[in-house]
Amino acid sequence: EVQLLESGGGLVQPGESLRLSCAASGFTFSSFAMSWVRQAPGKGLEWVSAISSSGGNSYYADSVKGRFTISRDNSKNTLYLQMSSLRADDTAVYYCAREEGTFRGVRFDSWGQGNLVTVSS
Amino acid sequence: DIQMTQSPSSLSASVGDRVTITCRASQSISSYLVWYQQKPGKAPKLLIYDASNLQSGVPSRFSGSGSGTDFTLTINNLQPEDFATYYCQQSYNVPWTFGQGTKVDIK
């Protein structure tokens, strides 16, 4: 069974940093691209960042480019999201999600349980 | 970026109804359209990909259609467990973008 378990969320002040982790199990982690998707309270889904299966390529939404860094450790089956210069509008539940499909046709077929990040003074 | 617009934003329906949700892309995305279901406090669940392919394990009362810019999610014989919010997502290119969601609640 595919499992994705996020950790590392919490309350931080504006301008601070935080690192999210997503531990994967039940599948060959190194064979799949992965993404982070967030959802602000009461709002819709927003894709944040993606990383290729090898980690050699990464992509970001404009809203986080230059502030967030996605990475992965395939030896530890773990995905990361390093978030810096956090702002109030980064407050959201952050989900890690497994990507299935090719570059065109990507869908998120497995999701973690979500991890709340609150940015507030 | 490709903008995705869903309609309606919400709807009320009864068990047994047929429900149709529409998703429109700001440019042609061929058939690269995905549908998710999300229940309160839970992660989204993949329902349909490539506009009309049913994800394994998803009941056959769910179906999708469309290509280009206009897409539809249909739920036949609505069941109590189908009351949720539904999102479309374009899988044509990065950044992947979602519709704003359609909440289906009980009439």
Side-chain angles (χ1 to χ4, degrees), chain A residues 21-92:
Chain A
S21 299
C22 172
S25 61
F27 66 102
T28 304
F29 181 69
S30 59
S31 295
F32 289 85
M34 300 291 294
S35 272
W36 290 96
V37 177
R38 69 183 180 183
Q39 187 169 36
K43 303 298 184 181
L45 301 169
E46 180 190 16
W47 172 80
V48 172
S49 182
I51 189 167
S52 62
S53 57
S54 67
N57 293 291
S58 57
Y59 310 88
Y60 298 92
D62 286 345
S63 59
V64 306
K65 198 172 294 182
R67 299 187 299 121
F68 289 13
T69 302
I70 191 171
S71 62
R72 64 191 296 161
D73 185 336
N74 285 344
S75 69
K76 295 183 178 179
N77 292 341
T78 303
L79 175 71
Y80 303 100
L81 186 67
Q82 178 69 46
M83 304 182 291
S84 61
S85 302
L86 283 161
R87 313 185 303 222
D89 62 359
D90 293 317
T91 295

Side-chain angles (χ1 to χ4, degrees), chain B residues 20-85:
Chain B
T20 299
I21 299 169
T22 297
C23 179
R24 174 165 289 175
S26 60
Q27 66 181 72
S28 177
I29 57 171
S30 185
S31 295
Y32 297 111
L33 193 282
V34 186
W35 290 99
Y36 302 91
Q37 175 194 68
Q38 188 180 34
K39 297 181 179 179
K42 300 296 186 181
K45 173 187 174 182
L46 173 62
L47 297 177
I48 288 170
Y49 63 95
D50 293 348
S52 61
N53 290 328
L54 201 64
Q55 174 70 356
S56 176
V58 174
S60 59
R61 62 180 180 272
F62 291 91
S63 64
S65 64
S67 65
T69 60
D70 294 316
F71 302 87
T72 299
L73 172 69
T74 300
I75 312 171
N76 287 304
N77 187 22
L78 195 69
Q79 295 298 295
E81 60 267 30
D82 301 336
F83 292 97
T85 300

